[in-house]
Amino acid sequence: MKSAFTKPKAVAVTITALAALPLILSGCGASPAPGGGGSVSELSVVDYYNNEPDKTIIGDTLAACGSQAGVTIKRETVPGKSLIAKVLQQASSKTLPDVLMLDNPDLQQIAGTGALAPLTDFKISTDNYPEGILSAGTYKDKVYGLAPTVNTIALFYNKDLLDQAGVTAPKTWDELKAAAAKLTSGGQYGLAFDANATYEGTWQFLPFMWSNGGDEKNIATAETAEALQLWTDLVKSGSVSSSALNWTQADVNDQFIAGKAAMMVNGPWQIPTLDKQAALHYGVVNIPVKDSSKTAVGPLGGEVWTVPQTGNKARQAKAAEVVACMNSDENQLAMAKARNTIPSKSTLAAQFAGENPKLASFTELVKTARARTGQLGEDWPAQATKIFTAIQTALTDKANPADALKQAQQG
Amino acid sequence: MSATVQSRLHLPVPETKNDAGLRRSGYRRRERVYQWLFLAPAVAYLVLFFGFPVVKNVAMSFQDYTTGTFYTGEAPWVGFSNYVTVLSSSLFSTSLINTALFTAGSIAGQFVLGLGLAVFFKRKFPLNGILRSLLLLPWLLPLIVSSAVWRWILDKDSGALNNFLESFGIISTGIPWLTSTSLALAAVVGVNIWIGIPFNVTVLYGGLQDIPDELYEAASLDGATGWRAFRHVTWPMLRPVVSVVLVLGVVYTLKVLDIILGLTNGGPANSTQTIATQSYALSFQNFKFGEGAAMGNILVLISLVFAVLYLRVNRRAVDE
């Protein structure tokens, strides 16, 4: 009798232990990072530079800034697409890292939750940053994030193809249409851009919309309709492949490299890939504007560094030191050069453009570049969705540009 | 007389209340405890990984759940307003129709091709086993990989499919498979059919193996071979398996997300937008978690209808 009972008892104990396992495990996972004041020897950092060469460049700069502040850096890189999900999860379990990198259009969304500390609390200087860059890092009049380097988009052109066709790089919309038409023949398109159903499509359209006086607050305007009409004309005339509706910016770059597009709208981060093609000779100019009376306005890209509210003042102060160091003049110049981006501070622009002639036109563009969230803040994602919806509706001929924008604006 | 009344009323009968009875009732109670202990892991698992998310999602759909909620924990109750917003959006009817077309098209294609292949592989021929296992390949590839490859195959200008068709002179200009509002949904359905065939073949082939050969022998003596054998022997015998395959297929297809995101991201101009992709976009791109949850719950409800159908079909199959 006794021996018959010991076996099930052992099983029962095991089962109870197993059933409790998830609870025990989740208990362990949720335990917050060690708190308390005193000396800080280690800082946790989360960013999305998970590809080379950016991973090493950022990692080395972080490590150097860490040792300057007297701490070691424990860094975690996550894929870009999962960063926000990770940050939200960490915010709810109160396990935010000491230093957090965010893509600039996401900053206001996260700052709005109250999870970030204003950088002015730590006396970090925001002098010499252009208006656009500061507005991307600002939420309700306080600066929460600073970007060491920024970027924007411009028009890349294939010098050989343009020379063969006897075309010069276009400056106005009419010139762009004429050049694109002339450069289109056989399997080659005049121009490639990204009009896909994501924020990337919106981002590529913004310079056309903004330089013509369009505004993201209300897209159902004549100015924005003119810009969308330009894109529609380019696709309908066959100068741009209708595949643009499903291309990413990387696809656009591939088309350009393969010689299937003579011009493209893209950013400086493609330069390393382009430079690997020995046979490819390319130039970069501003994205064409409607007529010479208009000035080019690009969208501002780049990642900002922030100090989350971890509740530990000593750690936050050290984290602020690291963020300040990441944004120092030397580090801005070094990272910009290594990553083919542009240093944020306007005081560094002239020196940088002189040393890196390939990035000169981008350096010029960044000065006037506008932040996507500058006006709308947390409401930007909804409006950005409306913009790419309108683009897709017009390019697939479901409605003319003006109607497509009106429908999208009404939601 | 009194003893029978007592036993009928389950009253304790004094005579039987001896030591043996006591030991038995103690044993029974212990047995009860063990039964619960054996159930506990399954119950804990269900509550943690199914119950909690479902309850949380339902609660979320009645709340103004934003990014801020994750940090502050504050999410005011808003009643049915998320459902009203989602249902009255102009995109809802498009998504609903697309979901229906996507599901119906995928299931029809997967089932017909799957059944055809299953019947084909029932014959004995060399390399049968190898070919049948190769057929499982689409199932083994990560969806993100297959959708990336298909996106390239279906490209208008340099895609493999258009190049193939052009080289045979079937078409003169590239077909915009993924960028035409009239073709994109069909193209996405086509890719989903390719992905779903292995599941259909595997289950239907298993069902075919269970049909006794004697039935075919008897049928052939009666003159029923080929199509008539299929119509009068295979089909009736396969019916229970068929219902299971179809209902499971519907539930799996309704929630397809990654393939559509990988191929078109819901475009062009929302022509491949389904309830699943809409729910994803609302929650994770627009950060409107409440509306995303409401959309998700609508999808869960639709799936539930088919899940109940599945349970009923399954029960009938068991009864038979």
Side-chain angles (χ1 to χ4, degrees):
Chain A
M1 198 68 188
K2 206 179 174 193
S3 66
F5 265 95
T6 41
K7 217 173 181 186
K9 216 172 256 173
V11 172
V13 168
T14 321
I15 287 168
T16 329
L18 276 176
L21 194 65
L23 297 170
I24 297 163
L25 285 178
S26 64
C28 290
S31 66
S39 65
V40 181
S41 60
E42 194 183 74
L43 288 183
S44 56
V45 178
V46 170
D47 64 64
Y48 69 32
Y49 300 105
N50 61 337
N51 286 323
E52 294 300 351
D54 284 349
K55 190 176 176 179
T56 310
I57 298 167
I58 299 290
D60 290 350
T61 316
L62 274 171
C65 283
S67 64
Q68 197 181 314
V71 292
T72 51
I73 299 290
K74 207 177 127 229
R75 177 183 180 217
E76 186 184 355
T77 58
V78 298
K81 276 186 179 169
S82 53
L83 178 69
I84 290 302
K86 171 134 192 129
V87 170
L88 292 178
Q89 179 209 334
Q90 289 178 328
S92 65
S93 60
K94 309 284 177 228
T95 52
L96 282 163
D98 296 303
V99 177
L100 172 67
M101 181 231 78
L102 288 171
D103 193 14
N104 80 75
D106 293 328
L107 178 113
Q108 303 198 21
Q109 199 77 35
I110 301 302
T113 68
L116 302 178
L119 294 182
T120 39
D121 288 5
F122 308 102
K123 311 270 182 302
I124 293 180
S125 161
T126 55
D127 295 341
N128 300 324
Y129 285 92
E131 167 80 37
I133 294 161
L134 273 187
S135 73
T138 306
Y139 175 74
K140 290 198 174 152
D141 300 329
K142 280 186 175 162
V143 178
Y144 287 86
L146 280 178
T149 68
V150 288
N151 61 60
T152 186
I153 43 177
L155 187 76
F156 288 72
Y157 62 94
N158 186 319
K159 283 181 177 168
D160 297 338
L161 292 178
L162 264 70
D163 286 348
Q164 276 168 30
V167 177
T168 51
K171 290 190 178 66
T172 65
W173 288 1
D174 286 337
E175 285 173 24
L176 177 67
K177 274 199 238 180
K182 221 172 173 187
L183 289 161
T184 303
S185 66
Q188 177 193 315
Y189 289 94
L191 176 67
F193 52 63
D194 166 356
N196 73 16
T198 72
Y199 296 151
E200 240 180 52
T202 305
W203 150 266
Q204 288 238 327
F205 180 69
L206 287 176
F208 295 90
M209 177 175 111
W210 279 340
S211 67
N212 199 40
D215 193 283
E216 64 269 31
K217 271 187 189 159
N218 177 14
I219 55 171
T221 61
E223 289 82 6
T224 306
E226 277 178 358
L228 189 50
Q229 186 69 53
L230 170 74
W231 271 33
T232 313
D233 290 346
L234 285 165
V235 172
K236 269 198 191 159
S237 66
S239 300
V240 173
S241 170
S242 68
S243 296
L245 283 159
N246 207 22
W247 275 340
T248 63
Q249 295 191 104
D251 293 330
V252 168
N253 199 44
D254 289 342
Q255 296 290 321
F256 185 73
I257 288 173
K260 290 193 169 180
M263 302 181 281
M264 70 163 174
V265 177
N266 227 321
W269 59 89
Q270 307 288 13
I271 288 176
T273 325
L274 294 173
D275 284 347
K276 275 187 203 147
Q277 315 294 322
L280 180 70
H281 305 101
Y282 66 91
V284 183
V285 289
N286 280 1
I287 287 175
V289 290
K290 193 185 170 201
D291 52 59
S292 50
S293 69
K294 304 272 204 285
T295 44
V297 184
L300 185 82
E303 295 80 21
V304 295
W305 292 87
T306 67
V307 179
Q309 295 280 18
T310 48
N312 183 324
K313 288 288 162 220
R315 292 181 79 95
Q316 280 185 299
K318 280 285 173 203
E321 275 180 50
V322 171
V323 169
C325 168
M326 292 295 283
N327 283 286
S328 72
D329 289 7
E330 309 83 73
N331 281 336
Q332 287 204 355
L333 283 169
M335 281 194 284
K337 187 176 162 62
R339 299 182 52 226
N340 281 291
T341 49
I342 314 300
S344 300
K345 286 186 189 172
S346 42
T347 40
L348 303 172
Q351 184 194 344
F352 184 76
E355 287 168 7
N356 305 279
K358 262 195 179 142
L359 294 165
S361 43
F362 285 106
T363 312
E364 206 51 43
L365 278 168
V366 157
K367 284 182 192 165
T368 54
R370 240 166 97 171
R372 283 159 279 177
T373 47
Q375 284 195 35
L376 292 172
E378 295 155 279
D379 296 330
W380 166 248
Q383 200 64 9
T385 305
K386 287 178 182 174
I387 295 176
F388 73 64
T389 307
I391 296 170
Q392 293 236 320
T393 311
L395 295 192
T396 53
D397 218 9
K398 279 190 143 184
N400 68 49
D403 289 341
L405 288 162
K406 213 177 286 169
Q407 284 168 20
Q409 179 64 39
Q410 282 158 4
Chain B
M1 179 66 193
S2 88
T4 39
V5 168
Q6 268 176 330
S7 69
R8 204 179 289 156
L9 293 172
H10 302 286
L11 293 172
V13 184
E15 286 86 41
T16 55
K17 201 179 176 183
N18 54 22
D19 282 0
L22 252 182
R23 213 178 304 143
R24 195 178 295 156
S25 80
Y27 176 78
R28 213 174 267 164
R29 203 175 309 132
R30 228 169 303 158
E31 204 175 29
R32 260 272 119 100
V33 171
Y34 286 136
Q35 281 171 354
W36 276 107
L37 281 177
F38 275 108
L39 268 178
V43 170
Y45 178 78
L46 280 174
V47 167
L48 271 175
F49 294 103
F50 287 92
F52 177 71
V54 167
V55 170
K56 181 83 185 165
N57 204 48
V58 170
M60 221 180 202
S61 70
F62 292 107
Q63 286 173 304
D64 182 20
Y65 209 103
T66 61
T67 40
T69 311
F70 286 90
Y71 188 71
T72 58
E74 285 162 21
W77 296 94
V78 290
F80 281 92
S81 100
N82 285 329
Y83 286 91
V84 171
T85 316
V86 161
L87 290 172
S88 61
S89 128
S90 58
L91 212 52
F92 183 74
S93 55
T94 316
S95 307
L96 192 66
I97 294 168
N98 285 345
T99 307
L101 289 175
F102 177 77
T103 309
S106 299
I107 295 298
Q110 288 171 4
F111 179 74
V112 170
L113 291 173
L115 183 61
L117 284 165
V119 171
F120 174 68
F121 279 108
K122 227 202 140 212
R123 296 152 159 263
K124 289 186 175 59
F125 58 88
L127 296 179
N128 179 316
I130 294 172
L131 285 175
R132 203 152 35 84
S133 39
L134 277 180
L135 212 64
L136 291 179
L137 262 181
W139 216 358
L140 303 177
L141 284 177
L143 287 178
I144 204 79
V145 174
S146 21
S147 57
V149 172
W150 274 105
R151 211 170 81 92
W152 168 73
I153 293 175
L154 296 171
D155 186 77
K156 187 185 86 143
D157 305 309
S158 37
L161 181 60
N162 280 344
N163 277 352
F164 177 79
L165 294 175
E166 270 168 48
S167 67
F168 281 94
I170 298 167
I171 52 167
S172 52
T173 51
I175 299 173
W177 295 107
L178 294 174
T179 49
S180 144
T181 45
S182 46
L183 282 175
L185 188 62
V188 173
V189 166
V191 174
N192 196 45
I193 289 175
W194 175 80
I195 289 166
I197 284 176
F199 171 74
N200 283 262
V201 173
T202 311
V203 179
L204 291 172
Y205 181 80
L208 287 177
Q209 298 292 90
D210 284 345
I211 302 175
D213 282 339
E214 297 86 62
L215 287 180
Y216 289 104
E217 283 165 22
S220 73
L221 285 178
D222 291 338
T225 51
W227 167 250
R228 295 189 63 187
F230 177 82
R231 169 76 188 75
H232 296 287
V233 180
T234 313
W235 186 250
M237 293 298 288
L238 207 58
R239 277 281 295 280
V241 180
V242 167
S243 345
V244 170
V245 166
L246 287 181
V247 179
L248 277 184
V250 169
V251 174
Y252 288 156
T253 310
L254 277 173
K255 67 176 174 67
V256 164
L257 176 72
D258 18 23
I259 302 162
I260 300 178
L261 288 187
L263 285 172
T264 62
N265 213 42
N270 291 322
S271 56
T272 55
Q273 197 79 255
T274 64
I275 296 186
T277 58
Q278 240 334 78
S279 168
Y280 174 83
L282 282 171
S283 289
F284 299 108
Q285 282 166 1
N286 291 357
F287 304 120
K288 292 175 180 165
F289 295 95
E291 288 176 27
M295 200 66 148
N297 284 333
I298 293 169
L299 189 64
V300 169
L301 263 167
I302 299 174
S303 296
L304 207 63
V305 172
F306 287 95
V308 170
L309 205 72
Y310 166 73
L311 289 176
R312 296 200 56 170
V313 163
N314 219 7
R315 161 153 307 168
R316 214 185 308 148
V318 169
D319 290 347
E320 274 166 11

